[in-house]
Amino acid sequence: MDREKFISLCNKKEKLIRTEAGFSQEKMAHVLGISKKTLVEIEKGRRTLGWTGSVALCSIFSDSEVLQAAFGGYPDEVIKSLAFEQKEVVYHQTMGGNIWWRDLDMHNGYKIQQNIMSNHYRILDEKNRRVSSSFDYEEMKMRLRDI
């Protein structure tokens, strides 16, 4: 996934998220910091949320079942993977991938997992803390070997 695909997915899911939240177009536009006219154009496919609007949507509605189904969990990890160089990302403890993740490789107590929805990868340490995240499996395998 790249930023364009991320934005496209957010554009497609915005109306479902708005409906899930029970918001009118006016309320949703206010929450996202855009005009109602812009929101209507986005919902009709004539405009886009862009990177900033997509990040706002995912941040504000991170508990949305629609978003979690689309990204295979909370979207923050996808956003961080797209926003930062790998060495800049700060991760938190995970639940170990019981839902949304499949184990691909293990080495010295660390494991590579792939998200079944967004297809991005992550490395978890022996305490299920994220060590690394990327959309490049070969990069993740090299990092795992270096651990």
Side-chain angles (χ1 to χ4, degrees), residues 77 81 86 91-94 96 101-115 120-147:
E77 188 172 327
S81 293
Q86 183 56 46
Y91 295 109
H92 56 275
Q93 178 121 12
T94 72
W101 297 91
R102 63 184 168 125
D103 293 345
L104 299 178
D105 202 355
M106 292 191 73
H107 178 69
N108 291 336
Y110 291 77
K111 60 185 170 184
I112 297 177
Q113 293 183 322
Q114 183 179 31
N115 186 284
H120 74 283
Y121 305 94
R122 69 182 182 183
I123 297 176
L124 299 182
D125 68 10
E126 62 279 349
K127 294 182 180 178
N128 292 322
R129 293 177 297 212
R130 266 186 296 276
V131 175
S132 187
S133 180
S134 174
F135 284 95
D136 185 345
Y137 183 56
E138 293 303 316
E139 176 185 345
M140 301 303 322
K141 287 193 315 187
M142 287 189 316
R143 287 193 180 146
L144 185 65
R145 279 186 236 123
D146 292 340
I147 292 175

Side-chain angles (χ1 to χ4, degrees), residues 20-38:
E20 177 186 44
F23 287 179
S24 65
Q25 286 178 323
E26 187 171 318
K27 174 71 174 175
M28 185 65 143
H30 175 76
V31 167
L32 293 176
I34 59 178
S35 71
K36 180 181 174 188
K37 180 180 177 184
T38 299

Side-chain angles (χ1 to χ4, degrees), residues 6-113:
F6 171 78
I7 293 166
S8 176
L9 184 56
C10 289
N11 288 332
K12 291 174 186 169
K13 299 298 181 184
E14 178 278 323
K15 186 173 182 179
L16 289 172
I17 295 163
R18 178 175 65 78
T19 302
E20 177 186 44
F23 287 179
S24 65
Q25 286 178 323
E26 187 171 318
K27 174 71 174 175
M28 185 65 143
H30 175 76
V31 167
L32 293 176
I34 59 178
S35 71
K36 180 181 174 188
K37 180 180 177 184
T38 299
L39 183 72
V40 169
E41 293 290 306
I42 291 166
E43 290 186 356
K44 289 183 177 182
R46 296 180 188 150
R47 291 191 70 173
T48 178
L49 283 164
W51 171 251
T52 304
S54 296
V55 170
L57 177 75
C58 289
S59 297
I60 295 166
F61 296 97
S62 63
D63 291 331
S64 162
E65 289 181 17
V66 171
L67 272 178
Q68 289 186 22
F71 290 109
Y74 292 99
D76 66 320
E77 188 172 327
V78 174
I79 292 168
K80 287 179 182 179
S81 293
L82 293 170
F84 295 109
E85 292 294 320
Q86 183 56 46
K87 60 184 180 254
E88 299 173 320
V89 181
V90 176
Y91 295 109
H92 56 275
Q93 178 121 12
T94 72
M95 294 174 52
N98 296 325
I99 304 173
W100 308 113
W101 297 91
R102 63 184 168 125
D103 293 345
L104 299 178
D105 202 355
M106 292 191 73
H107 178 69
N108 291 336
Y110 291 77
K111 60 185 170 184
I112 297 177
Q113 293 183 322

